[in-house]
């Protein structure tokens, strides 16, 4: 692979600068603040584990969070001691807009759903420049209407969205653009510009918040507290600048860190004209727990809401506290805008006589550097529209960084022995994960809908992030394998709702892809990273084999595996009467896992021959898995079905009876992922592996023929390792590339369209093609694998098709219904699928983007149409975005597709 050129921009210099101390200076501050901390497992101390109702949105403004803050366009330091975020009021809302609103899983029509419009416009890996847009209506926010209408729909039809309420009619809203530009590692220039898109002048209350995360109130006695007070410019004579001063010198330093972590004295500067308000980041006891209960402090977290909305005298007249803000009242002219410059910096930062004088200049300079950085990243053949798509996808991924604070043992036991949480909590969830202890900055799937890491999501995130920041990509993937995350038995934690759930084993693939991407960019791969991941993945592999291969036959029963409602039974629950679901996807995933472990071992063996033996072990284990899928331990059935030309799950009852679930879904496509191509001329530097491979091929023909096909090509002996043979691949591709089955105009459906008119039934359950939101709610009902297009699995299908073309050569072509009668190679199919998936976001000949569906505001309005949302999944027929709207985690793989297919 060729080394990337032009990696000498200013942002690359910052990325490659050596670390100084425990935290790299330019990464010390970033967008590490969640968009939702309420309704999370971490904040749930209920007796029954009802996280959504223990701390709902309405109580979020009044309760101090235990495990991390939330806010709008929030930034914080590396360990979230100090937080800055924005709040707004339009003079009509019943609530001060301090955080994004959405409906929980019991309120929304299809599971939890944010009901706001905000866009991650730009970001760089060191967060030297960041830009975000929030759209805020002039009218009272329709909280009740959104709740009542979605409840009325009761899981049927489409979501009722904010645009549907009419609050954006006649363009009566503010576009609030928030930019951050670092003049130095701890000197952050902030530029807020509020545009009035409406026909009349409108008043906007803008409240930049500065507060300390509450780290002090949980123990008895409480720890010493930090303090925020009025800064020097606000103390004396009238000035053009006001300021707040955040002093943590009197607070107890964070424990649980290997080195002491301290914040220097920080100041927030703003233009004169704002009122300084102070309170404490403390729980409002009477509001949260009922009349008669006491608050720990007289001034509490929701004071600014009560002061601004209700005019209540509830802020600290002494002008000190742990939470403070500037309150600006702005008249924004119709069609015009108002700009507020601010600056958050250490007192030692070098700045001119006026800290706000050069804010605009710093913002312009960092924006130009961001342009230069992305210009060096974009592939040569990408169109301007595709470059914008790639940049917003990667920027969105950077915005989804969040500090994930969670000590499971402390959460289960409680901080204060005198006030322990209910004992029943210890048997609800995560009680086997007491070792999990996180203070890590991680990529979230979506900082509102899924503000917690998910193990297979994060693996895909890292592969996209490696395009621009391999260091962070490696750090994030390694966290899953770190001893404070990976279970001592080898299991990788799934997600906080149940760490013991099973997600597909994609971490070996991710480690290998990150290694390759960095090697491509820099010319050198990080073998130390690859090796340490390999060691921990060995433990994980052993856990999988011992846990989900109950019969020891290399046929796996993986369970949930991330595909929430894809089959006719709930795969997360134990089946009755000793029945076992033998899964094509679980077995396919394990073959995929084997081959990437083999590939990593072969790479490591170039420098350390000891790894050749492990490469041989994974080769032989893969052969066993391939044989098992065909032979099923001598049973009378296979996972492959010749009549249907597809792989299916098999339900095996305790008495030996079995039922094939003839559902054509991703479950039957995933065995395609397990494919590798070995040329012996590329193995000649190895001593033992080639001879071991050939010995096994000669001596175990009973097994090898099912998963390894050897031939001589151009005088070179080649080996195709694949669960799927040529015949099976031909049959599968006939369905994959058929518009009446899997092939959509915008990608690959997760369930064949065949099942729209021919649903599969088993007992009282049914699987029917459903291209949009889920009509069967399994695992919360907020995702749907019965028809929509999903980027992670489609990306792996594309990758597998390219490998099959390499394996079977240019003469291997298949005539399919989607090829218009022209036989196509798998690589040609991959190119077409990739183009269709990029096309979800690309403006077509009609001027419309499929991702926006029939939302005319998004399709036609110049202030909306180029602000992209990277949804969780997409309509199986139209490509319209569905589910979580800021899933720039794995949907960010569109950036990889552009990189790979436009180079």
């Amino acid at each position: 692979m060729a080394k990337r050129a032009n990696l000498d921009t200013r942002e690359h210099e910052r990325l490659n600068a050596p670390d100084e101390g425990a935290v790299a200076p330019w990464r010390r501050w970033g967008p590490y603040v969640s968009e939702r901390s309420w309704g999370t497992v971490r904040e749930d101390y209920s007796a029954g584990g009802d996280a959504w109702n223990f701390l709902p949105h309405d109580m979020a403004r009044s309760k101090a969070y235990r495990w991390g803050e939330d806010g709008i366009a929030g930034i914080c330091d590396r360990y979230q001691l100090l937080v800055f975020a924005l709040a707004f009021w339009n003079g009509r809302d019943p609530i001060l807009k301090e955080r994004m609103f959405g409906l929980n899983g019991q309120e929304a029509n299809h599971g939890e759903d944010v009901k706001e419009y905000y866009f991650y416009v730009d970001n760089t890996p060191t967060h030297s420049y960041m830009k975000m847009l929030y759209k805020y209506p002039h009218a009272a926010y329709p909280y009740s209407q959104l709740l009542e209408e979605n409840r009325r729909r009761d899981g049927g039809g489409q979501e009722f969205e904010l645009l549907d309420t009419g609050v954006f009619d006649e363009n009566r809203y503010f576009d609030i653009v928030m930019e951050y530009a670092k003049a130095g590692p701890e000197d952050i220039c902030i530029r807020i510009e509020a545009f009035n898109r409406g026909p009349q002048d409108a008043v906007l209350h803008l409240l930049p918040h500065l507060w300390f995360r509450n780290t002090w109130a949980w123990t008895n006695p409480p720890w010493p507290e930090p303090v925020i007070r009025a800064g020097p410019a606000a103390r004396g004579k009238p000035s053009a600048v006001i300021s707040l001063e955040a002093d943590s010198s009197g607070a107890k330093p964070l424990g649980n860190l290997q080195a002491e972590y301290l914040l220097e004295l920080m100041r927030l500067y703003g233009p004169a004209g704002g009122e300084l308000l102070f309170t404490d980041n403390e729980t409002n006891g009477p509001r949260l727990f009922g009349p008669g209960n006491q608050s720990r402090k007289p001034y509490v977290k929701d004071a600014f809401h009560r002061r601004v909305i209700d005019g209540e005298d509830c802020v600290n007249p002494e002008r000190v506290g742990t939470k403070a803000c500037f309150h600006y009242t702005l008249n924004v002219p119709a069609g015009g805008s108002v700009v507020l410059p601010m600056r958050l910096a250490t007192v030692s930062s070098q700045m001119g006589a006026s800290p706000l004088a050069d804010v605009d200049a710093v913002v312009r300079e960092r924006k130009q550097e961001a342009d230069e950085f992305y210009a060096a990243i974009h592939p040569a053949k990408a169109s301007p529209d595709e470059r914008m798509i790639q940049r917003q996808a990667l920027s969105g991924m950077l915005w989804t960084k969040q500090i994930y604070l969670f000590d499971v043992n402390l959460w289960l036991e409680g901080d204060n022995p005198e006030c322990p949480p209910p004992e029943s909590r210890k048997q609800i969830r995560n009680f086997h994960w007491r070792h999990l202890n996180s203070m890590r900055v991680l990529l979230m799937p979506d900082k509102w809908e899924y503000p917690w890491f998910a193990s297979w999501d994060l693996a895909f995130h890292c592969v996209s992030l490696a395009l621009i920041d391999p260091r962070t990509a490696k750090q994030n993937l390694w966290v899953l394998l770190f001893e404070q995350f990976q279970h001592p038995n080898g299991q990788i934690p799934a997600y906080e709702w149940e760490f013991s759930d099973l997600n597909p084993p994609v971490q070996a693939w991710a480690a290998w892809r990150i290694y390759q991407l960095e090697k491509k960019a820099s010319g050198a791969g990080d073998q130390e990273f690859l090796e340490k991941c390999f060691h921990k993945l060995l433990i994980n592999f052993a856990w999988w084999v011992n846990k989900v291969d109950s019969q020891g036959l290399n046929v796996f029963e993986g369970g949930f595996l991330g595909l929430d409602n894809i089959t006719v039974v709930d795969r997360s629950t134990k089946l009755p009467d000793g029945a076992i679901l033998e899964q094509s996807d679980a077995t396919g995933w394990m073959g995929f896992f084997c081959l990437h472990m083999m590939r990593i071992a072969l790479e490591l063996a170039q420098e350390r021959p000891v790894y050749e033996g492990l490469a041989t072990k994974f080769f032989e284990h893969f052969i066993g898995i391939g044989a098992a899928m065909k032979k099923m331990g001598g049973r009378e059935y296979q996972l492959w079905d010749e009549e249907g030309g597809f792989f299916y799950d098999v339900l095996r009852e305790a008495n030996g009876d079995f039922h094939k679930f003839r559902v054509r879904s991703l479950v039957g496509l995933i065995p395609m992922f397990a494919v590798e191509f070995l040329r012996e001329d590329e193995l000649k530097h190895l001593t033992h592996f080639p001879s071991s491979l050939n010995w096994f091929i000669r001596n175990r023909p009973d097994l090898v023929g099912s998963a390894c096909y050897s031939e001589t090509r151009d005088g070179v002996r080649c080996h195709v390792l694949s669960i799927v043979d040529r015949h099976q691949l031909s049959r599968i591709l006939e369905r994959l590339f058929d518009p009446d089955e899997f092939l959509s105009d915008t990608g690959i459906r997760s369930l064949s369209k065949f099942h729209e008119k021919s649903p599969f039934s088993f007992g009282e359950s049914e699987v029917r093609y459903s291209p949009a939101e889920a009509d069967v709610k399994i695992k919360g009902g907020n995702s749907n694998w019965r028809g929509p297009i999903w980027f992670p699995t489609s990306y792996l299908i594309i990758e597998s098709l390219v490998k099959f073309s390499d394996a079977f050569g240019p003469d291997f072509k298949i005539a399919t219904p989607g090829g218009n009668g022209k036989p196509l190679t798998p690589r040609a199919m991959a190119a077409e699928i990739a183009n269709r998936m990029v096309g979800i976001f690309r403006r077509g000949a009609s001027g419309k983007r499929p991702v926006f569906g029939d939302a005319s505001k998004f399709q036609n309005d110049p202030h909306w149409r180029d602000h992209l949302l990277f949804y969780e999944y997409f309509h199986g027929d139209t490509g319209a975005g569905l589910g979580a709207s800021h899933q720039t985690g794995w949907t960010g793989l569109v950036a990889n597709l552009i990189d790979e297919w436009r180079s």
Side-chain angles (χ1 to χ4, degrees):
M1 288 181 282
K3 180 179 177 180
R4 281 186 184 273
N6 302 321
L7 300 185
D8 56 355
T9 68
R10 287 289 305 279
E11 179 64 11
H12 282 103
E13 290 177 15
R14 288 186 284 263
L15 273 172
N16 297 325
D19 289 349
E20 299 174 18
V23 180
W26 280 91
R27 300 172 193 260
R28 192 172 172 94
W29 282 80
Y32 312 142
V33 183
S34 181
E35 279 151 9
R36 177 175 65 83
S37 290
W38 58 273
T40 60
V41 168
R42 300 186 300 286
E43 296 294 335
D44 176 25
Y45 284 82
S46 67
D50 186 357
W52 285 111
N53 289 313
F54 179 76
L55 181 54
H57 174 268
D58 188 53
M59 290 297 174
R61 65 179 179 270
S62 301
K63 186 182 185 305
Y65 293 132
R66 175 63 183 87
W67 297 103
E69 302 295 322
D70 59 17
I72 297 174
I75 63 171
C76 68
D77 65 282
R78 167 62 183 83
Y79 290 103
Q80 202 177 88
L81 295 181
L82 186 64
V83 183
F84 173 89
L86 281 299
F88 314 106
W89 188 50
N90 57 17
R92 297 179 175 87
D93 269 0
I95 302 173
L96 180 65
K97 183 67 70 173
E98 295 177 279
R99 56 189 50 80
M100 303 294 184
F101 171 74
L103 302 179
N104 69 35
Q106 298 148 17
E107 296 168 340
N109 194 33
H110 294 286
E112 63 264 34
D113 191 41
V114 69
K115 300 298 183 185
E116 306 271 12
Y117 294 117
Y118 56 101
F119 305 88
Y120 303 135
V121 180
D122 213 351
N123 210 326
T124 59
T126 65
H127 314 300
S128 57
Y129 178 74
M130 301 185 284
K131 184 177 182 179
M132 184 171 165
L133 167 65
Y134 176 61
K135 292 181 178 287
Y136 187 41
H138 293 171
Y141 194 90
Y143 296 101
S144 297
Q145 185 182 4
L146 287 165
L147 175 60
E148 291 164 6
E149 177 58 23
N150 277 288
R151 273 184 172 168
R152 187 191 67 78
R153 296 188 180 191
D154 194 27
Q158 296 181 334
E159 281 286 317
F160 183 69
E161 302 291 6
L162 187 56
L163 270 173
D164 300 327
T165 68
V167 293
F168 289 98
D169 291 354
E170 299 179 325
N171 292 323
R172 294 181 183 273
Y173 69 94
F174 300 103
D175 265 341
I176 304 172
V177 178
M178 297 152 280
E179 292 177 281
Y180 298 94
K182 293 181 182 177
E186 295 188 88
D187 182 357
I188 306 163
C189 294
I190 305 164
R191 187 179 188 274
I192 313 298
E193 185 166 10
F195 295 86
N196 180 358
R197 302 300 185 193
Q200 296 177 325
D201 294 359
V203 172
L204 173 67
H205 295 255
L206 196 151
L207 293 86
H209 281 38
L210 187 69
W211 74 99
F212 284 105
R213 175 168 64 90
N214 190 326
T215 59
W216 55 84
W218 314 106
T219 58
N220 187 17
W223 291 356
E225 299 172 22
V227 64
I228 301 175
R229 50 186 171 255
R235 289 176 181 164
K237 59 185 179 180
S239 168
V241 176
I242 57 177
S243 72
L244 296 168
E245 194 169 81
D247 184 355
S248 61
S249 61
K252 181 177 178 179
L254 290 175
N256 202 29
L257 293 176
Q258 293 183 346
E260 189 174 58
Y261 177 83
L262 300 171
L263 280 184
E264 191 179 335
L265 187 67
M266 302 283 295
R267 287 186 185 141
L268 175 67
Y269 302 94
E275 180 185 13
L276 277 66
L277 302 177
F278 297 83
T279 188
D280 285 306
N281 185 14
E282 299 277 357
T283 296
N284 182 336
R287 183 167 192 267
L288 206 71
F289 306 114
N293 286 279
Q294 296 296 312
S295 300
R296 212 181 70 86
K297 291 287 189 76
Y299 304 104
V300 292
K301 181 178 174 179
D302 58 16
F304 300 157
H305 160 83
R306 291 151 54 204
R307 169 65 177 264
V308 174
I309 305 297
D310 302 323
E312 188 178 338
D313 184 14
C314 56
V315 296
N316 191 344
E318 300 297 320
R319 290 158 62 91
V320 294
T322 51
K323 178 180 177 181
C325 74
F326 302 142
H327 179 194
Y328 295 99
T329 303
L330 310 173
N331 185 64
V332 189
S337 69
V338 173
V339 175
L340 276 182
M342 285 174 282
R343 194 164 191 159
L344 177 64
T346 59
V347 294
S348 63
S349 296
Q350 300 298 312
M351 59 185 77
S354 173
L356 303 183
D358 61 344
V359 165
D360 282 354
V362 173
V363 170
R364 283 194 303 271
E365 182 179 359
R366 293 294 177 260
K367 169 65 166 61
Q368 176 63 33
E369 291 170 3
D371 292 343
E372 293 167 358
F373 173 76
Y374 280 106
I377 297 298
H378 297 312
K381 295 181 181 179
S383 69
D385 201 30
E386 289 171 337
R387 291 176 179 226
M388 184 195 76
I389 294 165
Q390 188 182 49
R391 182 166 177 170
Q392 288 193 30
L394 294 169
S395 295
M397 180 137 350
L398 293 167
W399 268 105
T400 61
K401 286 184 184 179
Q402 176 186 311
I403 183 166
Y404 187 77
L405 297 163
F406 198 18
D407 180 335
V408 174
N409 187 63
L410 189 59
W411 173 75
L412 285 169
E413 297 294 336
D415 293 273
N416 186 351
E418 297 176 17
C419 301
E423 192 69 17
S424 58
R425 296 172 68 255
K426 297 179 182 178
Q427 300 301 320
I428 296 173
R429 59 171 61 96
N430 297 332
F431 46 88
H432 294 306
W433 292 85
R434 288 177 177 266
H435 71 284
L436 196 147
N437 192 329
S438 174
M439 300 180 75
R440 302 282 178 158
V441 172
L442 297 173
L443 296 160
M444 300 294 112
D446 180 314
K447 284 206 296 189
W448 192 94
E449 190 145 344
Y450 306 118
W452 27 260
F453 76 89
S455 62
W456 81 308
D457 301 57
L458 184 55
F460 289 107
H461 304 175
C462 292
V463 170
S464 293
L465 188 64
L467 291 172
I468 53 173
D469 187 0
R471 181 190 299 187
T472 301
K474 290 184 292 185
Q475 289 171 347
N476 265 239
L477 187 68
W478 170 247
V479 164
L480 294 175
L481 305 172
F482 185 56
E483 53 267 22
Q484 291 174 5
F485 278 68
Q486 186 177 25
H487 198 280
N489 66 18
Q491 185 178 8
I492 292 172
Y495 45 81
E496 69 177 33
W497 285 94
E498 183 48 76
F499 286 131
S500 293
D501 255 348
L502 300 186
N503 276 181
V506 293
Q507 288 73 32
W509 167 81
W512 175 243
R513 292 290 284 118
I514 292 166
Y515 174 84
Q516 288 182 306
L517 285 165
E518 186 175 30
K519 192 173 183 179
K520 175 183 175 182
S522 68
D526 185 349
Q527 287 220 347
E528 181 181 347
F529 159 75
L530 199 62
E531 187 172 27
K532 72 177 184 178
C533 287
F534 184 78
H535 289 172
K536 298 303 288 288
L537 287 165
L538 284 171
I539 307 170
N540 181 237
F541 186 87
W543 177 85
W544 274 93
V545 170
N546 293 327
K547 173 71 175 178
V548 298
D549 177 17
S550 65
Q551 304 298 305
L553 299 173
N554 289 320
V555 179
F556 295 85
E557 308 110 39
F560 167 47
L561 288 177
L563 312 182
D564 302 43
N565 66 339
I566 200 163
T567 193
V568 74
V569 297
D570 183 352
R571 305 197 303 176
S572 292
T573 60
K574 190 173 183 179
L575 296 171
D577 303 321
I580 290 175
L581 186 66
E582 295 175 333
Q583 297 176 216
S584 289
D585 59 333
T587 307
W589 283 122
M590 287 303 292
F592 175 80
F593 193 174
C594 267
L595 288 179
H596 283 94
M597 292 294 279
M598 180 196 75
R599 179 59 77 180
I600 292 171
L602 289 173
E603 182 76 7
L604 295 172
Q606 293 184 42
E607 300 294 333
R608 289 172 290 284
V610 67
Y611 284 102
E612 289 190 60
L614 285 165
T616 301
K617 175 264 182 295
F618 283 107
F619 164 75
E620 294 181 0
H621 203 130
F622 170 76
I623 297 299
I625 290 172
M629 286 197 77
K630 310 285 176 65
K631 303 176 185 299
M632 301 298 290
R635 299 195 185 111
E636 297 178 357
Y637 60 86
Q638 297 181 10
L639 299 180
W640 172 256
D641 186 81
E642 182 60 30
E643 180 182 350
F646 213 71
F647 285 99
Y648 297 126
D649 284 349
V650 173
L651 179 70
R652 179 170 53 81
E653 297 183 8
N655 63 3
D657 291 347
F658 67 91
H659 307 274
K660 276 195 177 181
F661 289 167
R662 289 183 168 83
V663 179
R664 296 205 282 272
S665 72
L666 278 172
V667 165
L669 298 177
I670 285 171
M672 291 172 53
F673 298 171
V675 56
E676 278 294 335
F677 180 54
L678 298 176
R679 293 172 55 96
E680 291 202 359
D681 58 345
E682 296 174 348
L683 304 175
K684 59 186 179 183
H685 61 285
L686 302 176
T687 305
H688 303 294
F689 178 77
S691 58
S692 297
L693 180 149
N694 283 304
W695 181 93
F696 197 84
I697 289 172
R698 288 193 307 271
N699 287 276
R700 292 305 307 267
D702 55 318
L703 296 177
V704 170
S706 299
C708 179
Y709 318 97
S710 302
E711 62 181 36
T712 299
R713 188 180 302 170
D714 299 326
V716 178
R717 184 75 168 160
C718 301
H719 307 283
V720 179
L721 309 182
S722 174
I723 286 176
V724 179
D725 62 30
R726 285 176 187 254
H727 167 71
Q728 292 169 340
L729 181 64
S730 299
R731 297 291 305 278
I732 290 171
L733 294 185
E734 288 171 5
R735 300 199 183 282
L736 179 76
F737 220 68
D738 183 348
D740 292 329
E741 294 233 19
F742 287 98
L743 184 64
S744 164
D745 289 343
T746 50
I748 297 297
R749 301 179 177 106
S750 49
L751 184 76
S752 171
K753 195 175 175 68
F754 166 81
H755 293 297
E756 185 173 37
K757 296 179 180 178
S758 302
F760 175 82
S761 298
F762 181 77
E764 297 180 357
S765 300
E766 177 184 86
V767 173
R768 181 185 296 272
Y769 175 72
S770 177
E773 302 279 12
D775 54 8
V776 175
K777 293 191 175 185
I778 297 176
K779 305 294 286 187
N782 59 342
S783 65
N784 183 21
W785 292 84
R786 295 187 176 184
I789 297 158
W790 292 77
F791 264 79
T793 45
S794 296
Y795 183 80
L796 292 177
I797 288 170
I798 291 167
E799 185 177 274
S800 299
L801 291 173
V802 171
K803 288 184 178 181
F804 276 117
S805 262
D806 292 341
F808 294 152
D811 295 330
F812 180 76
K813 298 180 180 181
I814 304 295
T816 68
N820 297 318
K822 179 184 176 182
L824 298 174
T825 64
R827 183 182 295 274
M829 294 180 190
E832 179 60 25
I833 295 167
N835 189 54
R836 293 184 185 205
M837 296 193 71
V838 174
I840 289 174
F841 302 99
R842 197 171 49 224
R843 186 177 291 130
S846 66
K848 296 185 176 182
R849 303 182 191 275
V851 62
F852 292 145
D854 58 3
S856 60
K857 194 80 170 173
F858 275 100
Q859 295 287 17
N860 303 316
D861 192 309
H863 299 303
W864 292 68
R865 66 188 182 192
D866 289 334
H867 295 301
L868 302 180
L869 292 172
F870 295 86
Y871 286 88
E872 184 179 5
Y873 54 100
F874 301 85
H875 194 289
D877 296 332
T878 69
L882 299 166
S885 55
H886 293 76
Q887 188 94 357
T888 36
W890 60 25
T891 300
L893 287 164
V894 68
N896 297 74
L897 293 179
I898 292 170
D899 179 71
E900 292 161 19
W901 294 94
R902 297 294 183 267
S903 294

